[in-house]
């Protein structure tokens, strides 16, 4: 199971739990439907009375409770506050569900994108000595290393993700923020900064070492590609 699958299953479980909690809150709110109500005091003919107030059908409604005296509406106050707390929890749970659904949707898009990305392989040389063969399959990258010499070997691990491999590619490219990068890309026949496509054109060569990449179908030697 890859990283996407593990994360997707975990978030799917959390989403199911959040939806179950939301249903529980909605069921409780049906029993305590007073979240939109408040207790007010109205003065009528010089006397004070407690009323329950709420909005309904575009207007304000009231329900008489009792004359004002200490603790007379304690139960009603407790019920209204409890309903408001439930409504606040419901709103928070809906926000959590929305957030989880957005993350899962993004993961689905990433998984679908990875499935459409081609599998490929390439070889890594130090001068004319092969040091690694790299197989990219799905979301995983497998590296067969033929040298452990620190100056000849790019890969510290025999397994990585496409994202990690792309980072290695980018280290063999020009800085994406240099002022003339668009001119350089245009000279390579590229319309955007894509590290993999750049190293396909440049073979990943660098002034700092003798490492280069050979892609399938290329009849090349170090003399053909190295600058020194």
């Amino acid at each position: 199971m890859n990283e996407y699958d593990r994360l997707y299953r975990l978030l799917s479980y959390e989403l199911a739990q959040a939806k179950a909690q939301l249903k529980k809150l909605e069921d409780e709110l049906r029993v305590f439907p007073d979240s939109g109500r408040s207790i007010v005091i109205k003065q009528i003919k010089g006397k004070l009375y407690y009323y329950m107030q709420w909005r309904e059908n575009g207007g304000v409604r009231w329900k008489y409770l009792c004359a004002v005296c200490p603790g007379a509406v304690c139960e009603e106050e407790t019920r209204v506050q409890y309903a408001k707390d439930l409504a606040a929890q419901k709103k928070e749970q809906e926000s959590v569900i929305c957030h989880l659904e957005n993350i899962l949707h993004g993961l689905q898009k990433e998984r679908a994108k990875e499935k459409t990305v081609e599998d490929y392989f390439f070889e890594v040389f130090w001068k004319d000595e092969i040091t690694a063969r790299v197989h990219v399959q799905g979301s995983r990258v497998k590296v067969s290393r033929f040298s452990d010499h620190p100056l000849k070997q790019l890969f510290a691990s025999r397994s990585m993700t496409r994202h990690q491999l792309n980072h290695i590619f980018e280290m063999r490219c020009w800085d994406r923020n240099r002022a003339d990068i668009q001119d350089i890309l245009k000279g390579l026949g590229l319309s955007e900064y894509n590290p993999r496509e750049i190293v396909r054109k440049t073979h990943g060569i660098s002034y700092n070492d003798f490492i280069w990449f050979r892609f399938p179908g290329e009849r090349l030697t170090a003399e053909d590609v190295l600058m020194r």
Side-chain angles (χ1 to χ4, degrees):
M1 186 185 300
N2 62 33
E3 295 174 22
Y4 280 128
D5 289 334
R6 283 194 292 270
L7 183 57
Y8 190 86
R9 288 193 178 188
L10 174 63
L11 293 177
S12 294
Y13 174 77
E14 291 185 3
L15 178 60
Q17 293 293 100
K19 286 184 174 180
Q21 180 63 23
L22 177 61
K23 185 178 184 306
K24 182 179 177 182
L25 290 169
E26 290 172 339
D27 290 342
E28 284 196 75
L29 276 168
R30 279 190 280 272
V31 179
F32 297 95
D34 300 317
S35 62
R37 300 190 177 197
S38 58
I39 297 172
V40 298
I41 295 175
K42 299 184 72 173
Q43 185 173 21
I44 302 176
K45 295 182 179 179
K47 295 184 178 182
L48 301 175
Y49 301 93
Y50 284 119
Y51 279 79
M52 185 73 76
Q53 178 179 285
W54 69 96
R55 297 191 69 84
E56 185 178 315
N57 298 325
V60 180
R61 300 291 298 277
W62 294 276
K63 178 184 176 182
Y64 171 77
L65 297 176
C66 62
V68 172
C69 66
V73 289
C74 178
E75 291 185 7
E76 288 83 357
E77 289 171 337
T78 300
R79 188 171 64 249
V80 167
Q81 187 57 51
Y82 182 68
K84 287 182 177 180
D85 291 342
L86 287 176
Q89 292 176 46
K90 176 176 177 287
K91 184 176 180 180
E92 181 179 350
Q93 205 65 23
E94 288 171 339
S95 178
V96 169
I97 288 172
C98 181
H99 182 60
L100 287 172
E101 287 178 336
N102 286 337
I103 294 176
L104 284 168
H105 180 65
L107 283 176
Q108 284 179 320
K109 289 177 65 176
E110 285 298 321
R111 293 204 313 180
K113 180 180 177 181
E114 285 208 346
K115 288 179 181 178
T116 62
V117 173
E118 65 172 310
D119 295 341
Y120 66 98
F121 74 92
F122 63 96
E123 294 172 342
V124 184
F125 286 83
W126 183 86
K127 295 187 176 179
D128 284 327
E129 175 189 344
I130 188 168
T131 60
R133 203 165 200 256
V134 181
H135 289 265
V136 183
Q137 297 177 312
S139 62
R140 301 304 303 170
V141 178
K142 301 294 183 183
V143 181
S144 299
R145 298 191 302 176
F146 306 115
S147 173
D148 291 323
H149 194 292
L151 297 179
K152 299 178 181 181
Q153 184 57 255
L154 278 177
F155 305 99
S157 173
R158 298 182 184 274
S159 178
M160 67 186 73
T161 65
R162 281 182 184 258
H163 177 73
Q164 290 169 323
L165 176 60
N166 196 63
H167 180 66
I168 291 174
F169 283 159
E170 185 160 356
M171 290 193 299
R172 310 294 296 182
C173 299
W174 300 278
D175 185 343
R176 64 170 67 232
N177 295 315
R178 62 182 287 169
D180 60 345
I181 190 63
Q182 291 304 318
D183 293 332
I184 293 173
L185 293 176
K186 185 177 180 180
L188 293 175
L190 300 175
S191 60
E192 62 179 3
Y193 189 95
N194 183 317
R196 178 190 164 191
E197 294 304 316
I198 291 173
V199 299
R200 277 186 177 273
K201 301 280 188 177
T202 66
H203 304 287
I205 60 173
S206 169
Y207 285 105
N208 300 318
D209 54 45
F210 297 104
I211 294 172
W212 60 283
F213 304 150
R214 189 193 73 85
F215 291 90
E218 295 178 334
R219 192 186 300 273
L220 298 170
T221 67
E223 186 179 355
D224 299 315
V225 298
L226 293 179
M227 296 176 291
R228 61 188 179 93

